[in-house]
Amino acid sequence: MSPVSNRKTLQSARAIENEAKPGAVFRHTKAVRSDCVTAQSMRAWQERPDIDNSREVPMIDTIALLRAEHVNFAKLLDLLDEQLDLFHKGGLPNYELMLDIMFYMTHYPDLFHHPKEDLAFGKIKERNGSVGPAVEELMKQHALLKESGERLVADLDGIVNGSIVPREHVEGPGRTYVVNFRSHIEKEETELFPVAAKLLRTKDWSAIDAAIKPLEDPIFGKSAQKRYAAIRDQIAREAGFENMAASRPD
C-alpha cells in the first residue's frame, strides 16, 4: 500500500473522530456510514503484511474507534426513543425491534465496549489520580447499565413471547436507560477520552486488546447478523427520509 493510501485510511478514521466530538453523538445520527471505521476494520488494516507497523499509530485513532461506536450506540438509542414515544401517540411499539436493540446493547457494549473502557480507565487512574472519582463513577455506571439493560431484555422477551407485562415495566425503565446511556457517553467523551488520548500509548492499548476477546459488531460490523436485519433496515429507511428532506428545495 502506498503512503498516500495509508494517509487516506488514517484520514478516514480522523474524519469519523471529528464527527463524533463531544456532544455530536447526541444529535440524531441515523445515516448508515459506508466508510464507518470499526475496531475490526482498523485491526485488519493494521495487521496487513504490506503495512509498516513499526511506527506507532497515534492513540487518537483508537479513541476515534471508541467515539465511532458511541455514534452507533446513539443511533440505537434514537430508535428505542422513537418506539417509546409511540406509547403517547396512540401507536403500538414494535416490541421485537425494541428487544433486538436491547439484546444488542447487552451483548456488545456490555460485553466488549465497556470492559475495554474499564481497562483503559483503570490505566488512566494509575497515572493520574485526580481522575479517580470520574473513573469510579463511570465504571459503576457500566455495571448499572448492564443490570437495567438485562431487566429490559427480560421484560421485552416476555412480551414478545406472549407474557402479560405491565407497560410501566417497559416505558419508565426504557426512558431511564436512554437518558442514562446518553449522559454516560457524554461524561466519557468530555472527561476521560481527552485524558486517555494524552496518557495511553500503543503498548497500553495492545495490552487491553490482549485482555479483551475480539468481538465483531453484530450490527455495524462487516458481517452483520441476520437477527439485526430489521434494525439495519430501519436505520437505512430513516437515513433515506432525512436525505430526501435535505434534498427538497425550500
Side-chain angles (χ1 to χ4, degrees), residues 81-153:
D81 228 0
E82 291 171 358
Q83 293 302 313
L84 293 169
D85 284 343
L86 292 176
F87 282 119
H88 297 284
K89 294 180 179 179
L92 180 65
N94 185 334
Y95 290 110
E96 289 86 356
L97 182 67
M98 295 172 71
L99 175 58
D100 286 344
I101 291 171
M102 290 309 306
F103 190 87
Y104 169 88
M105 298 302 279
T106 56
H107 285 77
Y108 187 76
D110 286 344
L111 299 184
F112 179 74
H113 182 94
H114 290 161
K116 177 173 283 192
E117 288 178 333
D118 285 342
L119 291 178
F121 296 163
K123 288 181 177 292
I124 294 171
K125 182 180 176 182
E126 291 175 359
R127 298 174 190 179
N128 184 348
S130 65
V131 300
V135 167
E136 293 169 6
E137 176 61 24
L138 286 170
M139 287 184 171
K140 180 180 178 181
Q141 289 177 11
H142 284 165
L144 293 175
L145 285 169
K146 186 174 186 294
E147 293 174 6
S148 60
E150 289 174 346
R151 286 195 296 270
L152 270 172
V153 167

Side-chain angles (χ1 to χ4, degrees), residues 136-185:
E136 293 169 6
E137 176 61 24
L138 286 170
M139 287 184 171
K140 180 180 178 181
Q141 289 177 11
H142 284 165
L144 293 175
L145 285 169
K146 186 174 186 294
E147 293 174 6
S148 60
E150 289 174 346
R151 286 195 296 270
L152 270 172
V153 167
D155 285 330
L156 289 167
D157 186 67
I159 293 173
V160 169
N161 287 287
S163 298
I164 298 176
V165 178
R167 162 180 162 177
E168 292 76 17
H169 285 201
V170 173
E171 183 182 10
R175 295 287 190 193
T176 299
Y177 183 88
V178 170
V179 169
N180 288 345
F181 209 116
R182 285 173 173 159
S183 175
H184 174 79
I185 290 176

